[in-house]
Amino acid sequence: MPRLLITRRLTDAVHERAARDYECHFNMEDRVFSKAELIAACQEADAVIPCHSEHFDAEVIAALPARLKVIANHSVGTDHCDLAAAKAHGVIVTNTPDVLSDATAEIAMLCMLGAARRGSEGDRMVREGRWDFWSPAFMVGRQVTGKRLGIVGMGRVGQVMAERGRGFGMEIHYHNRRPLDPALAKGAVFHDTLESLLAVSDVLSLHCPTTPETTGMMDAAAFERLPDGAIFVNTARGALVDEAALVAALRSGKLFAAGLDVFRDEPGGNPEISALENVFLLPHIGSATTETRDAMGFRALDNVDAVFAGREPGDRVA
Ligand code: DGY
């Protein structure tokens, strides 16, 4: 049986299937590997299923043994892998698209509503025994019904987010490399530039990958283009955002609030953001449901199976 390294603790169902078909090296303590440990663990593996917590940079990839055929990521995002280096090294890289779109869009909705309706502030007040007052003027937030939802990246997650937004009576706008087929766009308004989308987004939600072009795209100028009092949602990647500019926009009131599931520094987040009242924050749990974790693990295993069966894996990205 081929040897399979699974770098983090996955669900029991995924471990059972993996153990049926592979000689597995599990990490039951769920310890984060150092770079040296990751390289060492890969030496005995024919395949690896990592998460976004393991960084396959050029140095790690150069140290991979020839026996290791595939890096089958347990994530849709692949910004933790140097794809060009992998290609040059001759190792296949795959990801897990589709299966986490519903879960991630749910978290984006939670972030949007938590930010708009001051979810964290209210929760803290009740929990800490500080709720000693009520009036119609108390804890007034923003209603999203009827507002314009701007989606950056109308891929699989973006399209589910659009559907959920429609359920809340929102008008959908989006920016993408190209317009969607009308059957998929379902009336959503295409903007060929980010600037044009920003100008109409009462709520802006990011659903695009991190690339050299998108890294830091939400900078001071971008926040300034949003309508006053906009709500900003990020469930994609922290690297898309200049966090100092985000803090300034939240402090000045340019943004009413932000709902964030991702940060530049993870785990941990950004203490300057955490210190603000007008934020709703989560610890990168967009795809963290039992159903989705099973589906991601199975999808990664499907990709590994394909490689050892001599087939092209369905989700090859390099
Ligand atoms: C993804 O799949 O990219 C999620 O962020 C979890 O890693």
Side-chain angles (χ1 to χ4, degrees):
M1 284 203 283
R3 289 190 177 183
L4 172 62
L5 167 66
I6 299 185
T7 60
R8 304 304 302 272
R9 183 160 189 166
L10 305 183
T11 64
D12 290 346
V14 172
H15 282 185
E16 273 164 34
R17 176 173 148 187
R20 186 193 66 196
D21 300 333
Y22 297 94
E23 188 182 325
C24 291
H25 173 172
F26 294 121
N27 174 10
M28 294 310 272
E29 315 81 55
D30 215 4
R31 233 170 25 81
V32 182
F33 289 146
S34 67
K35 187 185 274 205
E37 287 169 333
L38 179 61
I39 291 172
C42 285
Q43 299 310 306
E44 300 302 314
D46 301 307
V48 55
I49 296 185
C51 296
H52 76 260
S53 46
E54 283 72 59
H55 291 259
F56 282 80
D57 59 20
E59 193 189 334
V60 172
I61 287 182
L64 294 179
R67 65 181 291 173
L68 196 142
K69 300 286 178 288
V70 55
I71 302 170
N73 286 296
H74 182 275
S75 65
V76 66
T78 54
D79 47 308
H80 57 288
C81 290
D82 186 328
L83 298 183
K87 214 168 173 180
H89 193 78
V91 60
I92 294 170
V93 184
T94 61
N95 69 344
T96 56
D98 301 318
V99 290
L100 42 65
S101 306
D102 287 331
T104 307
E106 282 180 9
I107 281 287
M109 290 299 286
L110 178 61
C111 286
M112 175 179 80
L113 294 170
R117 301 303 299 271
R118 306 171 63 171
S120 294
E121 207 182 328
D123 178 80
R124 266 198 308 274
M125 191 185 293
V126 178
R127 224 179 256 284
E128 293 168 7
R130 291 185 290 105
W131 180 31
D132 55 3
F133 177 76
W134 188 92
S135 111
F138 168 69
M139 286 282 302
V140 174
R142 294 285 157 102
Q143 192 155 311
V144 299
T145 309
K147 301 281 164 50
R148 297 165 298 182
L149 170 60
I151 295 178
V152 184
M154 197 65 150
R156 300 167 184 93
V157 183
Q159 287 175 45
V160 181
M161 181 64 179
E163 205 53 44
R164 303 293 174 266
R166 285 184 194 101
F168 273 71
M170 301 185 81
E171 183 182 301
I172 312 299
H173 293 251
Y174 70 102
H175 169 58
N176 214 28
R177 268 171 303 187
R178 55 191 89 81
L180 293 185
D181 187 271
L184 292 178
K186 298 182 185 168
V189 181
F190 174 67
H191 293 257
D192 60 356
T193 63
L194 176 65
E195 290 70 23
S196 159
L197 178 72
L198 293 172
V200 300
S201 297
D202 301 313
V203 177
L204 185 80
S205 190
L206 305 186
H207 298 284
C208 58
T210 313
T211 64
E213 294 74 44
T214 61
T215 297
M217 72 180 186
M218 288 307 300
D219 57 11
F223 285 116
E224 198 46 48
R225 283 196 182 92
L226 288 166
D228 289 344
I231 288 162
F232 175 66
V233 174
N234 189 8
T235 56
R237 284 292 184 266
L240 300 169
V241 180
D242 173 344
E243 290 183 342
L246 172 61
V247 168
L250 285 162
R251 281 200 185 126
S252 72
K254 174 68 195 177
L255 288 178
F256 176 74
L260 309 171
D261 183 45
V262 290
F263 301 85
R264 279 193 170 245
D265 281 332
E266 295 184 7
N270 180 329
E272 283 200 44
I273 295 176
S274 306
L276 298 169
E277 200 66 278
N278 53 345
V279 289
F280 180 86
L281 307 177
L282 294 172
H284 199 147
I285 53 168
S287 52
T289 67
T290 310
E291 296 87 339
T292 294
R293 289 288 184 242
D294 276 346
M296 290 169 77
F298 293 147
R299 186 94 173 212
L301 282 170
D302 290 345
N303 287 317
V304 177
D305 291 351
V307 170
F308 289 107
R311 285 184 276 111
E312 179 71 7
D315 305 313
R316 186 168 184 166
V317 292

